[in-house]
Amino acid sequence: ELLVHLDHDGRLHALRVVQSSGYPLLDEDALLTLRRIGSLPRARAWLPERGYATTLPVIYKLTEG
């Protein structure tokens, strides 16, 4: 589970793990994925002027492959 802050313009920042998966590699990958996304430009339409903070569950499904 990650804590995510969105600025009023949709940029993601202050990302951090609030509940670890128990596997540092998966935790880091979840953070890296959000860093790569970087922003949600369409969120500007509904974000309050001060931005928004929420927790985001990240679920990995490990399969043989």
Side-chain angles (χ1 to χ4, degrees):
E1 189 170 309
L2 303 178
L3 177 64
V4 179
H5 289 262
L6 287 100
D7 284 341
H8 68 279
D9 62 357
R11 286 181 295 152
L12 300 168
H13 69 96
L15 308 171
R16 68 178 178 95
V17 175
V18 292
Q19 183 175 349
S20 174
S21 66
Y23 297 91
L25 182 65
L26 294 179
D27 295 346
E28 285 301 317
D29 187 68
L31 290 170
L32 180 60
T33 298
L34 287 181
R35 287 184 188 121
R36 284 182 180 157
I37 292 170
S39 69
L40 303 171
R42 292 186 179 176
R44 292 180 202 161
W46 57 265
L47 280 170
E49 191 63 32
R50 68 184 182 284
Y52 184 75
T54 190
T55 55
L56 176 68
V58 178
I59 300 169
Y60 281 91
K61 183 177 179 182
L62 303 177
T63 60
E64 290 185 43

